Amino acid sequence: MGLTRCLAAAFLLLLPGLSTGQRVVAVQKGPLYRVKGSHVTLWCKVSGYQGPAEQNFQWSIYLPSAPEREVQIISTVDPSFPYAIYTQRVRSRGIYVERVQGDAVLLHITELQEQDAGVYECHTPTTDERYFGSYSAKTNLSVIADTLSASMVPQVLTRAEGEAVELTCEVSKSTTQHTHLSVGWYRLQGAGESHAEEVLILSKDFVLRPGPSYAQRFLVGDMRLNKVGNTTYKLSIGGVEPSDQGQLYCEATEWIEDPDETWKDISRKQTGRTSLEVMSQGRDLSVDIAAAESSLSEGDTLQLNCMVGAQKSSSRHFQVLWLLNGMEVAKVDPHGVLIWEDKYEERAKMGQLRAFKHSNTVYVLTIYEVGLKDNGTYHCSVLEVKTPGDFHSIQTNLSSGIQVNVKPIERRMRLSVSTSTPQVMVGDALIFLCEVQGATERVSVRWWHLPPQHPGPRMLVATMGQDGTLSLGSAYQDGRTRGNLRLEKVSSGAFTLVIPNTLDESDSGRYGCEVTEWSKGRRWTEAGEAAVTVSSMGLGLHATLRSRIATVRYGQGFELVCQVSASYTFEEVPVSVGWLFQPSPPTGYYHKLVWVFPNGTTVWGTAQPHFQWKAQLTKAATSFRLRIHDATTANEGTYQCEVEVWRRNAPPLEQPAATTRSNAVGIKVVLPESKLQVATEGRSVEIAGGADTAVECRIMFALNNSQFAVTWYLLPPPPADATPLQIVRTNYSSIQEYGAEFSSPSQKSRFLSQRVSSNVFWLRILSANPGDQGKYYCLVEEWLWLVDGWHKLGEGASGRTTLEFKLPERELQLEKTNYSVSAREGEEVTLHCLLQGARLPTTHLSATWFRVKDSSRVSPLLTLHRDGAIKYPQESLAGRLQLRRPTASDFSLTLLSVEKDDAGFYHCQVQEWQQQSEGKDWALQALARSGYTQLTTIPPESTVLSRICSSPPLLNFMLYLPLVLIFLLVLAVFCWYFKFRKSKKGNITGDQLMELQGDGEVKKT
């Protein structure tokens, strides 16, 4: 990577001579292929510029998914330049710009990602007096997979001086592009060394190159590097030397040739290391070990001395290892630096162990408060090296062993409990330390909790048996609530309890540790406790939203700042921030614009699909900022921010511990100001009948990129009122729409709206007739395409153009008397139009009937052309209008079946036409207009039958009355019949009784 930067910088320094006089921006030639995960640089240089020596640069990308859309990455002048998807990487210097000189930079991408593929554009903002030259350049970058692999089986090799050694490295790649490989072997002197020495390298050009220390041995053939098969590389050393001792590894590099014919390393892989120890012949080195006392009781102090005997020892370098029962305890290097083995490190931190270099020949190991585990045989091993830090040893010697015996003693335990977290917030961890002194046997530990203001039995947290077996209390078994509890024995007498996540305030209170030791049937128990306080995360949590400006112009940006405060250190807890938006006018609920979660995940809402590309999110301490670029009307409305805080180390699916929502801030977006100016001077146009004419509408000033909608209007002459009639409207998309009075095919063919130039519009009137007289004007609307659609900025009306007809010198004689006619609805009426006097024999006549209804525009009803053809501008009236001509000079109009809407003022206009010569056009020779005939419609005559039919109640009464009368008549006849029968039966019975009385001489009583 350093070579690439050097070459790029050198190339940039040579560019100034390429062009002078005009600005030229040059960028690294593409296409470029780079490996995912690698560090990538792209250079950019500007020359031929004017202004300061230090130029500014802006980098953008055009992604393959949207090749026409620019996505801003980074700028040397504008910190807010990056879009939201690059803000975090720029802020963390995952992407940065290095200035090589004032007019040359390098773009760094420290870890290339797949989404970084695309066309990169380098742009230099102008500092010139005028634009001249190129201001940007582009290059294509493709991201490919890293297929390079290198492997070697790690080994520990011991060779005597002069013996041979062979190491094998497997290297392969599967890149589709044309690439080369270089394979090399390197040696590290010691495990902690960072600088590797070159042994032997096969370059990308297939040239073998030995390291400086191995050049002579390579020339005499003592070292070789052979390729065996397609993927195997073998390093052979004929006779090893003591200087070969160290850590050996293989490194493979994949190279690709860029379009500028330079080679670039795109991937490097190192193998595991093989340890090579070279045994030299013996030297004069003696080692002795001694102890002040080798038989001790528990708690005594053991001191061991290691004495080194050697000639000229003061100028030699020794490394000493302390061993217990053959296992390493500690190591002291030639500088006196002490390194403990892992299992002794904790005791050393607690001050129970100490080892140091007393002199170059005396080394001391001290164990305070020895225990039974310190029993055993101690040795010290001395290793001589050429120089401090040299991995290669000259010679090694081991002392004799010394036996140390530690006797157990009986004593009672001492216990203390402490916590490093006495006051925490909900979600924080609780950490307790239980230290035991005086225990000689393995112990069991029991932790309990007593919540605040909850008298009663203590709650079991966890226990650890003598054999290390762990068990949790019922309230702590579910790891999803408080996390996975950790109960550990960190040393012989120290136990820790860690509760990763406090659940709520009920986790406050006292926590106790109880330790029990058993020995030979005896039992000792000690207990202690510590108090903690857990506070709610909602305590004092508050969010305030503000904006410096409440009204922004269309296309400008604005920034919202969400300031959060709490009664605890807010920066130390997981926080998510959501931005909410309610459009104007209000809809009653807020949409989610974007949500940023504690892990950095950003989720964009769907209410505004393009919001992601124009929003920038930043965070600084306790403030969160949302900056919106290029504001549109869709961004007008009310904003809020919502802040959620989580418990520290909370499970992924857990709900937030506290939530707060800020105040609402309204943002108003105003459209650009209209600059429309339309010519307002009035004009007068006089034309002859049948001629074509045009009315002009001129735009004096407007915005450069605006479009226009033009609507033509007509103010008809009296007796019509001043209500304008829409002729035709041409919108900003050139779509035309005619008004109701001009929607017939004949009218559409005569009135045409045309755009003559960028700022001039015409209304063309073909074959004008006197009915077209009046005042014409246009209404111009200025429209502008903005990000979210077309917007109307303003409008302006032109001056009036009066259209008048130039009447012929000769005038026809029509009756000018005004009449008033009444006609009943449903009947027919004839309106007279009589031509008086003689006319030329070679002329033809045409006539048109007009109606003025409700003081509106004069509407043509029927036209008789000079060739005898009749046309009806209003097709709906064609069946009820008849032009009866009993004579050639009679143009009377008959209305069949008069309707209520036929009321109005009627008049006719007769024109005389003459053909100039055969094959020539017809010219208007004379015309005349009749007087007005006012038609008044009368409702149809009312009769008894019509009144009955027009009244539903009366009609129903007349229909049902005969039925009711017939029913009553039948009922009366039926009643009379039964009454008659009954009276007749009574008479017969009386006569029969009289006859019985006469015969039996019975008297009536």
Side-chain angles (χ1 to χ4, degrees), residues 89-115:
R89 294 175 67 185
V90 171
R91 186 164 53 243
S92 64
R93 288 188 65 79
I95 298 177
Y96 65 94
V97 174
E98 176 189 1
R99 189 178 289 279
V100 180
Q101 61 184 37
D103 54 8
V105 296
L106 284 174
L107 172 66
H108 288 261
I109 304 176
T110 58
E111 186 175 351
L112 191 64
Q113 302 176 6
E114 289 183 1
Q115 57 266 33

Side-chain angles (χ1 to χ4, degrees), residues 118-367:
V119 177
Y120 284 75
E121 180 181 39
C122 175
H123 174 74
T124 60
T126 182
T127 58
D128 308 333
E129 294 181 358
R130 62 188 181 92
Y131 280 91
F132 186 47
S134 65
Y135 290 80
S136 65
K138 296 181 179 180
T139 188
N140 190 8
L141 175 64
S142 298
V143 181
I144 61 177
D146 188 358
T147 62
L148 178 65
S149 68
S151 62
M152 180 180 70
V153 179
Q155 305 176 70
V156 178
L157 302 177
T158 303
R159 296 289 187 272
E161 285 186 74
E163 290 184 349
V165 66
E166 288 187 348
L167 299 175
T168 301
C169 180
E170 294 289 335
V171 179
S172 65
K173 67 179 181 71
S174 59
T175 310
T176 57
Q177 285 72 29
H178 176 71
T179 58
H180 287 189
L181 287 176
S182 65
V183 180
W185 295 88
Y186 298 84
R187 182 180 71 88
L188 290 169
Q189 290 184 354
E193 284 288 330
S194 59
H195 176 69
E197 180 183 10
E198 293 181 357
V199 178
L200 188 57
I201 296 174
L202 175 63
S203 72
K204 65 180 184 298
D205 303 318
F206 313 107
V207 176
L208 283 174
R209 185 181 72 247
S213 302
Y214 296 89
Q216 185 62 35
R217 296 168 65 184
F218 174 74
L219 292 175
V220 299
D222 188 47
M223 300 186 63
R224 300 189 310 277
L225 196 159
N226 297 323
K227 183 177 182 182
V228 182
N230 292 327
T231 61
T232 304
Y233 297 81
K234 182 181 292 185
L235 173 69
S236 301
I237 303 176
V240 295
E241 298 178 0
S243 60
D244 297 330
Q245 183 166 282
Q247 303 283 327
L248 296 174
Y249 67 89
C250 168
E251 180 178 275
T253 306
E254 186 175 6
W255 301 78
I256 191 169
E257 187 176 16
D258 284 343
D260 59 3
E261 299 183 353
T262 61
W263 286 88
K264 176 71 178 70
D265 54 326
I266 60 175
S267 181
R268 290 179 183 268
K269 293 294 171 65
Q270 290 184 1
T271 66
R273 298 174 183 177
T274 292
S275 177
L276 175 62
E277 182 177 358
V278 180
M279 304 297 295
S280 61
Q281 302 303 319
R283 305 279 200 280
D284 58 332
L285 181 65
S286 64
V287 182
D288 231 350
I289 189 170
E293 181 66 45
S294 61
S295 182
L296 305 168
S297 297
E298 286 184 283
D300 291 343
T301 300
L302 170 64
Q303 179 173 317
L304 299 173
N305 296 325
C306 179
M307 286 76 69
V308 180
Q311 297 179 358
K312 300 180 180 180
S313 60
S314 61
S315 61
R316 297 166 72 172
H317 307 284
F318 304 108
Q319 178 176 288
V320 176
L321 275 71
W322 290 99
L323 307 173
L324 172 57
N325 297 328
M327 304 299 294
E328 184 177 330
V329 176
K331 177 170 62 179
V332 181
D333 72 3
H335 289 296
V337 177
L338 174 64
I339 301 175
W340 292 99
E341 276 297 300
D342 291 343
K343 69 176 183 176
Y344 294 97
E345 190 171 358
E346 186 63 32
R347 292 179 66 187
K349 289 180 180 179
M350 297 174 63
Q352 297 177 3
L353 301 178
R354 185 183 179 208
F356 62 94
K357 178 182 179 180
H358 185 269
S359 67
N360 206 35
T361 57
V362 179
Y363 298 83
V364 180
L365 171 65
T366 304
I367 303 177

Side-chain angles (χ1 to χ4, degrees), residues 985-997:
K985 185 178 180 181
N987 293 334
I988 294 173
T989 305
D991 294 338
Q992 291 174 348
L993 288 175
M994 290 298 293
E995 291 176 0
L996 289 173
Q997 184 179 15

Side-chain angles (χ1 to χ4, degrees), residues 432-747:
F432 300 94
L433 174 64
C434 182
E435 296 180 285
V436 182
Q437 296 178 346
T440 59
E441 300 290 339
R442 289 185 298 178
V443 298
S444 64
V445 181
R446 180 174 179 269
W447 289 91
W448 48 264
H449 172 221
L450 184 62
Q453 302 176 353
H454 288 280
R458 299 175 297 186
M459 292 176 21
L460 177 65
V461 178
T463 62
M464 174 186 287
Q466 287 179 293
D467 58 355
T469 303
L470 300 178
S471 63
L472 302 177
S474 58
Y476 297 85
Q477 292 178 357
D478 188 357
R480 295 173 298 179
T481 55
R482 293 180 176 86
N484 297 318
L485 268 67
R486 298 196 301 274
L487 177 56
E488 299 175 350
K489 181 178 180 180
V490 296
S491 67
S492 60
F495 303 86
T496 58
L497 170 66
V498 179
I499 302 175
N501 301 317
T502 49
L503 189 60
D504 49 37
E505 295 90 332
S506 65
D507 286 339
S508 301
R510 290 181 292 155
Y511 288 79
C513 172
E514 184 178 279
V515 177
T516 302
E517 178 186 17
W518 285 269
S519 177
K520 298 180 181 180
R522 300 181 59 187
R523 170 181 170 180
W524 293 272
T525 299
E526 290 289 334
E529 62 182 35
V532 295
T533 301
V534 180
S535 302
S536 168
M537 298 192 72
L539 192 62
L541 183 62
H542 182 70
T544 302
L545 185 63
R546 66 179 188 274
S547 175
R548 292 183 178 180
I549 54 176
T551 301
V552 297
R553 288 194 173 275
Y554 198 103
Q556 291 183 341
F558 63 92
E559 187 178 71
L560 299 170
V561 181
C562 183
Q563 186 69 41
V564 185
S565 60
S567 59
Y568 48 90
T569 306
F570 185 76
E571 296 88 340
E572 297 178 359
V573 299
V575 180
S576 72
V577 177
W579 293 92
L580 309 175
F581 172 67
Q582 180 177 229
S584 179
T587 58
Y589 62 95
Y590 282 82
H591 303 284
K592 288 185 178 180
L593 291 178
V594 60
W595 211 272
V596 182
F597 291 94
N599 60 0
T601 302
T602 302
V603 178
W604 299 90
T606 58
Q608 295 193 10
H610 302 292
F611 184 77
Q612 176 180 359
W613 305 108
K614 61 190 299 183
Q616 181 180 354
L617 301 169
T618 57
K619 175 186 176 183
T622 59
S623 66
F624 301 85
R625 296 173 183 265
L626 170 64
R627 179 167 183 81
I628 299 178
H629 305 277
D630 300 326
T632 67
T633 52
N635 303 126
E636 180 176 338
T638 306
Y639 292 81
Q640 281 187 316
C641 67
E642 187 172 290
V643 179
E644 297 175 336
V645 293
W646 269 265
R647 298 187 298 148
R648 292 186 180 94
N649 305 316
L653 300 179
E654 184 175 345
Q655 294 298 316
T659 302
T660 185
R661 184 176 286 193
S662 72
N663 56 294
V665 171
I667 297 294
K668 181 176 179 59
V669 180
V670 295
L671 296 174
E673 184 178 355
S674 175
K675 304 294 184 181
L676 180 65
Q677 294 181 11
V678 183
T680 58
E681 64 272 11
R683 296 176 57 207
S684 180
V685 177
E686 185 179 66
I687 63 171
D692 298 340
T693 188
V695 181
E696 183 182 276
C697 177
R698 182 177 296 273
I699 298 172
M700 307 303 294
F701 186 81
L703 295 177
N704 290 335
N705 53 348
S706 59
Q707 297 294 327
F708 306 103
V710 178
T711 306
W712 289 96
Y713 290 91
L714 168 62
L715 281 171
D721 63 4
T723 302
L725 301 175
Q726 178 180 325
I727 302 173
V728 59
R729 169 183 167 84
T730 304
N731 66 9
Y732 50 77
S733 301
S734 299
I735 298 175
Q736 294 187 347
E737 179 183 358
Y738 282 83
E741 301 293 333
F742 295 83
S743 59
S744 65
S746 61
Q747 296 288 72

